[in-house]
Amino acid sequence: QVQLAESGGGLVQPGGSLRLSCATSGFDFANTGMAWYRQGPGKGREWVGYIGSDGHINYLDSVADRFIISRDNTLKTVYLQINHLIPEDTAVYFCKRVGVDIWGQGTQVTVSS
C-alpha cells in the first residue's frame, strides 16, 4: 500500500529555514512524480510544487524564490527546503503521489516571532 510520512516541520522565526521530508513506500517511487501541498489555518489545500520522475520541477509562483524541491530515489524520499520563512508559510505541509489521492499525516510548519 502507498504510505507517505512527512516530517521536519516545527516552530521557526520569520527569516528562518526548514527542510521537510516525505518518506514513501508501497510504490515505484523512482518513476513517480511527487507534489507538495500545504493547508493553512482555515484555508483549503494549496499546491506548492512538483518534481517529476525526470527531475523537472514546478513551483507555485509566489514561493518559487524560496522553496526548493528535491528527491532521493535511493531513499524514496522527496524534500521541500523552505528558505526565508514568512508567517504566511504557516500551514500543514503534505506530499502526494501524482495521480493518486492518498495523503500522509502532514507536518506542521509554524512561522512566528
Side-chain angles (χ1 to χ4, degrees):
Q1 60 180 0
V2 174
Q3 294 185 333
L4 307 170
E6 300 93 342
S7 63
L11 175 64
V12 63
Q13 294 182 343
S17 299
L18 287 171
R19 189 179 73 158
L20 311 183
S21 298
C22 173
T24 76
S25 63
F27 63 97
D28 186 4
F29 178 85
N31 292 295
T32 301
M34 299 293 298
W36 282 97
Y37 290 75
R38 66 184 180 184
Q39 186 167 16
K43 300 180 180 179
R45 193 163 292 174
E46 177 183 40
W47 177 88
V48 298
Y50 160 85
I51 183 167
S53 60
D54 62 355
H56 178 75
I57 300 173
N58 287 321
Y59 299 101
L60 176 68
D61 286 346
S62 61
V63 306
D65 291 339
R66 301 185 297 111
F67 286 27
I68 303 171
I69 297 174
S70 60
R71 64 189 296 155
D72 188 325
N73 288 342
T74 299
L75 297 178
K76 299 182 179 180
T77 299
V78 61
Y79 303 95
L80 176 61
Q81 175 75 30
I82 309 177
N83 297 317
H84 197 69
L85 282 153
I86 60 176
E88 290 75 16
D89 294 325
T90 295
V92 179
Y93 285 74
F94 301 89
C95 65
K96 177 184 176 296
R97 178 184 178 183
V98 170
V100 180
D101 192 21
I102 299 174
W103 306 84
Q105 294 296 311
T107 184
Q108 176 72 52
V109 172
T110 302
V111 185
S112 176
S113 60

